[in-house]
Amino acid sequence: MNSNRIGLGDFRANDKTYRLVNSVLDSGRISYGPLSRQLEEEFSFLHSCEYGVLSNSGTSSLQVALQAMKEIHRWEDGDEVIVPAVTFVATANIVLHNRMKPVFVDVDRDTYNIDPRQIDAAVTGRTRAIIPVHLFGQPANMTYISSIAHSRGLKTIEDSCECVLATHFMDTVGSLGDIGCFSFYMAHILTAGVGGIATCNDPKYASKMRSLVNHGRDGIYISIDDGKKEEAMSRRFRFESVGHSFRITELEAALALAQIEDLAYMVARRQENAEFLSNHLVMLEDEIQLPYTESGNSHSFMMYPIVMKNGNKWDLCRHLEDSGIETREMLPLINQPVYMDMIDTGKFPVAEWINRNGFYIGCHQGLTFDDMYKVAEVILDYFGAL
Ligand SMILES: Cc1ncc(COP(=O)(O)O)c(C=O)c1O
């Protein structure tokens, strides 16, 4: 640790970071270019996908993923999309931004991911897609979700903004549904400050998303390099969809590319830190619920979630914060002022339990076992178990 604070995320520049960032500055080419293309290729390859489309955030990637599907499959305004009742607001916001209706489904009490057993009952004649979220770094149960999607004719968009490289029965997140969306925002596993990428194996989705992040522009002209093509002259100011200005620069691509070969190591260190902490807290299992990795999954531990079984979480969070350990609420959604009117109280008991009692702390690769030991000691001390 650089500081004494045990925080939620970590970004460190290495030699490669300086080399790549300087190469961008020296080249004078800061818009979408060779490094952005390389990042798309390497990231999508790591996630078993043929295509990767960069954007300026995970939210933008989700936005264009759903919009691409809506345009290609001619879905209508007001059609429904199933989302989990515990996630970051962006997952549900992009459904509304696409003029569709989010239908919430409660989450599983152990994994905190969407409860697949409750999805079927939420499907109606207007349901078009499911957006499972790989919350805190663990894949949702995509075996179950994909079988419902296939039998009901629905599309799936993985919100993998909190997850990289994790596997579900050996298949990698990002390739488990029709499109996968990742975030490079601060405190995420691979961070470039901002940024996002959508991965898929369907060229129709990839080219529509690439157009949508570029104002809905004709796919023949996506970057300045395309201007050399003969037909591009007449088509570079042709717009086929109502798109967005969601582009990223070569500088973010340089920051992300510099970390990509260390990504597996970063995830492995997070897993080790999480396991170390759980081993030291296991005696408190009557007091707090520790993270649980479902059989068939690997977990990339963007953070370490804890749910209080007894007592007031704010007292424990204050105790942790006072000891220099950063905490956050566990992604409450259905009690947000913006969503409260759409939610029937009592319909999502597990989400409500998590909202009342859940929080998370960091277990990232920049933390040592000494740091994790300190976290364990502070929690044990709180429960008088030291
Ligand atoms: C589950 C989830 N979805 C979407 C997002 C949005 O990503 P971004 O902040 O890059 O827009 C986040 C970001 O924290 C997230 O945790």
Side-chain angles (χ1 to χ4, degrees):
M1 276 292 293
N2 290 332
S3 73
N4 290 328
R5 196 152 171 79
I6 297 182
L8 298 167
D10 188 51
F11 170 77
R12 286 169 204 214
N14 55 29
D15 289 349
K16 195 168 179 191
T17 320
Y18 289 104
R19 191 159 42 77
L20 289 178
V21 169
N22 283 331
S23 77
V24 174
L25 299 178
D26 290 342
S27 74
R29 170 72 183 268
I30 56 170
S31 65
Y32 183 94
L35 295 186
S36 307
R37 252 190 301 276
Q38 192 184 337
L39 176 60
E40 288 180 334
E41 281 167 18
E42 291 192 16
F43 192 93
S44 51
F45 177 77
L46 280 176
H47 292 86
S48 311
C49 282
E50 201 163 332
Y51 306 100
V53 178
L54 281 174
S55 73
N56 58 3
S57 72
T59 307
S60 300
S61 295
L62 287 163
Q63 168 75 26
V64 296
L66 187 59
Q67 189 174 343
M69 287 183 174
K70 190 177 178 214
E71 290 192 14
I72 288 170
H73 302 297
R74 299 179 187 280
W75 296 341
E76 291 183 1
D77 286 359
D79 281 349
E80 296 168 10
V81 179
I82 291 175
V83 294
V86 176
T87 179
F88 185 60
V89 282
T91 320
N93 286 350
I94 62 98
V95 178
L96 293 170
H97 284 309
N98 274 294
R99 298 188 307 279
M100 299 179 79
K101 182 180 168 203
V103 173
F104 298 97
V105 166
D106 209 355
V107 296
D108 179 83
R109 211 180 168 85
D110 297 319
T111 63
Y112 315 128
N113 280 328
I114 192 165
D115 184 347
R117 293 158 302 196
Q118 298 192 43
I119 293 179
D120 227 20
V123 175
T124 72
R126 295 201 71 177
T127 310
R128 302 287 172 251
I130 310 171
I131 309 185
V133 181
H134 305 321
L135 212 64
F136 310 126
Q138 167 159 220
N141 189 334
M142 292 301 294
T143 308
Y144 207 137
I145 294 166
S146 299
S147 84
I148 298 170
H150 287 142
S151 69
R152 298 296 207 114
L154 310 175
K155 299 292 174 193
T156 50
I157 298 174
E158 294 168 72
D159 181 339
S160 195
C161 287
E162 301 190 354
C163 194
V164 287
L165 293 185
T167 53
H168 176 70
F169 291 102
M170 308 304 277
D171 289 326
T172 317
V173 291
S175 68
L176 301 167
D178 294 295
I179 300 178
C181 297
F182 298 81
S183 167
F184 302 147
Y185 188 59
M186 284 310 300
H188 286 241
I189 302 175
L190 179 64
T191 177
V194 293
I197 189 166
T199 55
C200 65
N201 281 308
D202 184 330
K204 285 197 298 307
Y205 288 154
S207 69
K208 179 56 89 178
M209 291 192 290
R210 195 172 290 292
S211 159
L212 289 171
V213 298
N214 284 283
H215 299 283
R217 203 180 276 272
D218 187 320
I220 198 151
Y221 186 88
I222 290 302
S223 83
I224 195 164
D225 306 317
D226 300 325
K228 296 175 199 115
K229 295 180 200 157
E230 189 62 30
E231 320 102 276
M233 292 289 285
S234 57
R235 285 168 55 183
R236 69 180 152 196
F237 266 96
R238 197 164 87 171
F239 298 90
E240 297 176 334
S241 299
V242 180
H244 312 269
S245 181
F246 280 168
R247 290 162 297 194
I248 198 169
T249 75
E250 285 284 271
L251 290 165
E252 285 88 27
L255 295 179
L257 262 182
Q259 296 159 65
I260 212 161
E261 63 192 41
D262 295 332
L263 200 53
Y265 166 77
M266 283 152 64
V267 169
R269 282 290 305 118
R270 286 167 180 266
Q271 290 166 340
E272 284 169 2
N273 277 344
E275 191 183 345
F276 182 92
L277 189 54
S278 292
N279 287 341
H280 284 78
L281 294 178
V282 73
M283 70 187 79
L284 293 179
E285 275 196 317
D286 288 343
E287 307 292 343
I288 52 178
Q289 180 162 302
L290 303 175
Y292 163 78
T293 305
E294 197 165 35
S295 147
N297 276 351
S298 75
H299 197 314
S300 58
F301 282 103
M302 176 169 140
M303 55 278 262
Y304 186 95
I306 293 176
V307 182
M308 292 276 281
K309 291 182 176 168
N310 297 302
N312 181 328
K313 77 169 172 187
W314 296 115
D315 290 340
L316 175 54
C317 288
R318 211 166 296 116
H319 184 67
L320 285 158
E321 295 275 351
D322 288 346
S323 309
I325 298 159
E326 211 175 343
T327 63
R328 287 281 186 286
E329 272 203 272
M330 226 162 110
L331 302 181
L333 173 72
I334 56 172
N335 56 357
Q336 296 298 335
V338 61
Y339 281 103
M340 254 153 39
D341 288 349
M342 293 178 222
I343 303 289
D344 296 333
T345 316
K347 232 179 118 188
F348 306 98
V350 181
E352 287 170 22
W353 170 72
I354 290 171
N355 292 348
R356 271 192 312 279
N357 302 302
F359 67 95
Y360 62 81
I361 54 180
C363 60
H364 58 78
Q365 65 281 349
L367 297 171
T368 62
F369 284 157
D370 281 349
D371 294 317
M372 301 321 288
Y373 191 71
K374 176 179 170 186
V375 176
E377 274 190 326
V378 170
I379 297 176
L380 289 165
D381 173 54
Y382 176 84
F383 287 104
L386 252 192

